[in-house]
Amino acid sequence: VKTCACLLLLLLLLQRCLALITAEKTETVIYHVWEDENEGEVKTKEVEPTKDSLVDGDAFIVDIGHTLYVWVGSGARMSNKR
């Protein structure tokens, strides 16, 4: 699962790097990241790029175009923090 998460993050980073190369301006994108306990997979979903999207019990990747941030809510489970 950790390997999948690392590969997924790398893929997201490469995707955004390509976007930076091909476009001068990029918008902020927020990805909700969680582990699907039934499937044992790490999943992501793009959410609205607003402060309200960053809920306290989950983890997110915030992409501002030139920098990626990982936001982990204070109420996130240990599996989300990995």
Side-chain angles (χ1 to χ4, degrees):
V1 174
K2 289 182 184 178
T3 302
C4 291
C6 290
L7 289 174
L8 182 60
L9 292 176
L10 180 59
L11 181 60
L12 290 172
L13 177 60
L14 289 173
Q15 180 183 20
R16 294 307 282 177
C17 287
L18 287 173
L20 285 173
I21 292 169
T22 58
E24 291 183 17
K25 183 179 179 184
T26 59
E27 58 189 45
T28 298
V29 180
I30 299 178
Y31 298 97
H32 179 199
V33 182
W34 74 97
E35 181 179 358
D36 185 324
E37 293 178 2
N38 294 330
E39 297 179 22
E41 295 179 355
V42 174
K43 300 201 175 195
T44 63
K45 178 181 178 182
E46 188 173 333
V47 297
E48 290 292 320
T50 64
K51 179 182 172 187
D52 293 336
S53 294
L54 302 174
V55 294
D56 203 35
D58 289 317
F60 298 85
I61 297 172
V62 180
D63 181 352
I64 63 170
H66 55 80
T67 305
L68 291 174
Y69 294 96
V70 176
W71 189 90
V72 181
S74 61
R77 294 182 306 181
M78 187 56 78
S79 63
N80 288 348
K81 295 179 182 182
R82 290 187 265 152

